[in-house]
Structure formats: C-alpha cells, structure tokens
Amino acid sequence: MNESARVAVVGAGAVGLTTAFDLAERGARVTLFERDAPGGGTTGRAAGICYDAYAEDIDVAVADRAMDRFRSLSGEGEFAFHETPYVFLAREGDDAAAAALEESVERMRVHDRAVSLVDAGELADRFPIRTDDVLLAGVAENAGWVDPAAYVDLFVEKCESAGVEFRVGDAVSLRVDPPGVAADDVVTARFDAVVVAAGVHSRRLLADAGHPIALRPYRAQALVADCDYRGPTVYDATAESYLRPHPAGVLAGDGVEPVEPDPDDWDPTADDWFVTDALDAVRHRTGIGGFDEATVETDSPVDRAWAGLCGATPDRNPLVGAVTERIFVAAGWHGHGFMWAPAIGERLAEAVLGDGEASIPDAFDPRRFDGDEEFAVVEGMTLDGD
Ligand SMILES: Cc1cc2nc3c(=O)[nH]c(=O)nc-3n(C[C@H](O)[C@H](O)[C@H](O)COP(=O)(O)OP(=O)(O)OC[C@H]3O[C@@H](n4cnc5c(N)ncnc54)[C@H](O)[C@@H]3O)c2cc1C
C-alpha cells in the first residue's frame, strides 16, 4: 500500500489515537471514527501504570519502546511521565506466587530488565510500605505512571496537527470488501484499509463483518482515595490488587470479575465490595488509616471509584495485525493496552502501510484463533506465565 493511502481507524482510545497519528505521520490520509468522545472507552478508565517488567522477549520489546516513547513525550502539553518503581510481591504462605515471581524475575533479567529480587527487609529499607507479610518481591526500575486523560488530550492535538480527520458521535460498522465504514448502514466512505481499535467492541464489529476474533470482555475496577502516599506502585500477587501514588493520594485497583459483562450493557460504577476491599488493601500496605467504613456515597476519603471493560484472549497475547488483507485489528490487552499503546501504534502503522505484518510478532496474529474458542479470563498482572 502506498504511503498516501486512505486509512480509517475505528476507536479513539489510546491505541486508535496513537495508530492514527503514526499513520498520518507516515503520510497516510487518516479518518478516525469515535462513537463517544476520544478517551471515552476503557482508556479514560485506566490506572496509567506503565512498566517493562515482562518475562517474554516480545512483550519486553513492546514495553521497552513504549516506555521510551512515554518519556520522550513527557513535557509536551500537560502530559507527564512520573518515574515510579514497580514492586510486585508475594505474601508469606503463598509459596506458589513466590515461585512464579522468582521465575519471572529470572526471565526478565535474561532480557536485561532492571529488575531485582528482594526480601522483606530489603524492601522495607527502600520503600515506605508495610513489608512484614512479604515473602518475596521484585522491584522493576523502568516503570512509572501517567494520567491517561493527558495522553488522550496530547494525541488528539497531535492527530489534528498531523491532519487526521475526526468523525465523532456515531457508532460505525465495518465493510470488508472493499474496506469501508458505515454509519446507520450507509457507507460513509471507502478506504484502502481499516484499523479496528474499538476496544472490547472490536469483537462485535468484526463478527458482524464475518471475521470473529477470540476476545472476551471482563470488568475491572479502580478508585482514588485522599491520603498522603509517596511510595512505589505495588502489585500484591497474593491479594491480586495494586496501588500507585496519585496527585490526590493513592489509586487502587483489582483484577478480574468472574462474570462476563455485555459490552453494550454493563455497570460503570464501582461495587461497594470493591471499595471496601480496595481501601482495606491500601490500609494494609501503606499503613495509612482513616478508611474505615468508607463507601463511595458516604463521607469518605474516596474521591472517585469506577469500573471499566478490558479484553482477554485465550493465550493472554493481544490480537494485533491483519484479519484480512486490508482490515486490521488491535485489541485484547489483558489490562496492558494503555502502557503498550505508544509502541503498538507505530508497529501497526508500519504493518498497514508496509509489507504486511513485518514488525508485529507472529504471537500477536489475530488469525491464530478461529474466534469461537471458549476460555477462562486470566488478569494481566498475574505472575505465572507472564
Ligand atoms: C480499572 C482499569 C484500570 C486499568 N489500568 C491500566 C493500567 O494501569 N495500565 C494499562 O496499560 N492498562 C490499564 N487498563 C487497560 C487499558 O485501559 C486498556 O487496555 C486500554 O485503554 C485499551 O485501549 P483501546 O484504545 O484499545 O480501547 P478503548 O480505550 O476502549 O477505545 C476504544 C474506543 O472505540 C470506541 N468505539 C467502540 N465501538 C465503536 C464503533 N462501533 N464506532 C466508533 N467508535 C467505537 C469506543 O467508544 C472507545 O473510545 C485498565 C483498565 C481498567 C478498566
């Protein structure tokens, strides 16, 4: 495809915005379709945690590039990358998590990641968090957090400067042959290629066009609470919960909810049980009190609490690349889509305009599945198999 190709991108989340910009930068004429507002999908609900602490070489390569790009963007507009180590830990008594953690750290180090294995004492020497329940921890230095809304604002601006045309307000459907996009069943325009970056909605869009993909939505939750927390980002593999510093205090979240949500009819507000558990987890790890009996509604330290939909695949690798010659998808991030977006946008733009999927790992090929697979959802931060 030549570089002045006309390309439609469906979805203005972190992935669609970055891809649209990277396509336009390479000379493509890009139209970006978004049914809500840019960042109005899962991206606007992300915690913004970023790290390169992966055990697989392909994940390391993607995360490494994404971290470099986050850093180089830091300072543009309101966007800032906040350097913050990522601590992942297993508690006393959880030998399975400790063994998985140890193995993961060894593999990360094979790929030259700046990750160390520490015991409770070493962790306590370095960070102001509770460590007396810690059996083993990993500390990744190449890590930080960003405000996802600031990333969205920055990329809307960059897209506009690069000439991307925004069509906001309509949910579109997909036409495959020839590639096109339709609103209310009327084809709005034909394109040389279409990139579907519609988050968990990508499944329905592609299935309706005759190309089912192996993607399952799951609901994850987070909250922001007022307090004075200046420690690292922490993932507790035993409790399956995480927290990170936030300008208001702390942002805390959890993993997978077992019931599959309907992407068109789900509850975006946080559950009371989640708020209670998340505040317990913050109190436990930081030692900061004052969270007793808090709920979202009552007078409490909770600034805001919310839910969002993530996408899972059978093997925990995303679906990135061509589903047919000129229709591409980028979805199925297991909660890592925000931190990977800066690298995925580039690789996808190259694949759309270049010779096939040269820069996208085979392990991400969406056609590796039929699309009708049954599988259980495993949350992205889980250590075994990472
Ligand atoms: C609570 C929570 C915390 C998270 N924390 C992190 C984190 O710390 N780090 C991290 O890396 N990831 C995190 N994630 C995951 C991350 O948010 C997602 O992986 C990422 O935002 C996916 O981006 P996306 O662009 O693929 O999808 P989305 O942001 O969902 O964008 C898709 C867009 O497509 C639009 N769309 C859908 N259908 C159509 C249609 N038919 N026509 C037009 N537009 C359409 C939607 O409106 C949406 O704006 C978290 C997720 C949640 C829920």
Side-chain angles (χ1 to χ4, degrees):
M1 200 175 306
N2 73 46
E3 295 209 329
S4 61
R6 296 196 60 197
V7 184
V9 176
V10 181
V15 175
L17 283 163
T18 315
T19 307
F21 171 72
D22 286 331
L23 282 162
E25 274 277 288
R26 286 165 175 76
R29 289 173 292 157
V30 183
T31 309
L32 180 48
F33 294 88
E34 168 56 52
R35 69 179 198 173
D36 190 350
T42 308
T43 296
R45 298 163 182 280
I49 296 166
C50 314
Y51 51 74
D52 74 345
Y54 292 95
E56 296 290 341
D57 53 355
I58 46 174
D59 300 344
V60 166
V62 170
D64 202 32
R65 172 60 191 140
M67 298 291 288
D68 277 356
R69 203 168 176 200
F70 276 130
R71 286 198 177 93
S72 70
L73 292 166
S74 189
E76 278 191 48
E78 299 295 310
F79 181 76
F81 181 83
H82 302 269
E83 302 282 349
T84 310
Y86 173 59
V87 172
F88 42 109
L89 61 85
R91 293 191 193 188
E92 288 286 357
D94 192 352
D95 294 347
L101 193 152
E102 190 166 2
E103 196 202 320
S104 293
V105 169
E106 268 168 33
R107 291 170 64 206
M108 289 169 197
R109 293 176 69 144
V110 166
H111 301 304
D112 288 334
R113 297 306 92 193
V115 182
S116 48
L117 205 56
V118 296
D119 62 22
E122 291 165 310
L123 200 59
D125 286 345
R126 184 158 171 205
F127 298 115
I129 54 173
R130 176 175 173 184
T131 62
D132 61 350
D133 64 336
V134 173
L135 178 55
L136 198 61
V139 182
E141 308 297 340
N142 189 14
W145 63 268
V146 306
D147 174 7
Y151 185 88
V152 168
D153 290 347
L154 177 62
F155 269 84
V156 168
E157 227 177 277
K158 290 172 90 64
C159 281
E160 282 171 350
S161 309
V164 173
E165 182 192 350
F166 278 80
R167 297 266 191 92
V168 175
D170 282 327
V172 297
S173 56
L174 182 64
R175 297 291 179 271
V176 170
D177 194 15
V181 160
D184 290 332
D185 269 349
V186 178
V187 176
T188 60
R190 293 205 171 140
F191 294 90
D192 297 309
V194 181
V195 175
V196 178
V200 291
H201 297 277
S202 304
R203 177 171 71 172
R204 183 160 304 163
L205 266 169
L206 283 157
D208 289 349
H211 292 280
I213 53 168
L215 182 69
R216 274 188 69 181
Y218 64 92
R219 188 165 167 271
Q221 307 185 61
L223 61 74
V224 169
D226 289 329
C227 63
D228 185 15
Y229 178 65
R230 313 229 175 134
T233 295
V234 181
Y235 172 60
D236 182 332
T238 303
E240 296 185 336
S241 64
Y242 63 85
L243 59 86
R244 71 146 166 96
H246 183 278
V250 72
L251 186 157
D254 74 347
V256 177
E257 207 182 37
V259 187
E260 180 166 330
D262 175 348
D264 291 313
D265 183 19
W266 56 283
D267 185 359
T269 55
D271 302 329
D272 283 345
W273 66 260
F274 163 74
V275 173
T276 306
D277 286 3
L279 293 177
D280 271 352
V282 171
R283 188 188 306 109
H284 177 86
R285 190 58 55 205
T286 66
I288 297 169
F291 296 150
D292 298 328
E293 317 224 336
T295 68
V296 192
E297 288 79 22
T298 58
D299 180 25
S300 82
V302 178
D303 255 18
R304 122 192 127 82
W306 66 93
L309 297 189
C310 296
T313 68
D315 60 4
R316 294 170 66 191
N317 280 328
L319 309 170
V320 186
V323 291
T324 73
E325 204 186 334
R326 288 185 292 155
I327 306 292
F328 296 77
V329 66
W333 309 111
H334 282 264
H336 292 171
F338 181 76
M339 67 174 106
W340 282 18
I344 293 294
E346 276 177 349
R347 286 173 182 245
L348 200 50
E350 281 164 20
V352 172
L353 300 176
D355 53 352
E357 293 145 79
S359 63
I360 297 174
D362 288 346
F364 294 180
D365 187 341
R367 292 170 293 194
R368 68 191 184 278
F369 300 115
D370 294 331
D372 58 1
E373 289 80 359
E374 300 270 322
F375 60 95
V377 171
V378 179
E379 192 263 330
M381 281 170 157
T382 309
L383 287 170
D384 53 342
D386 240 359

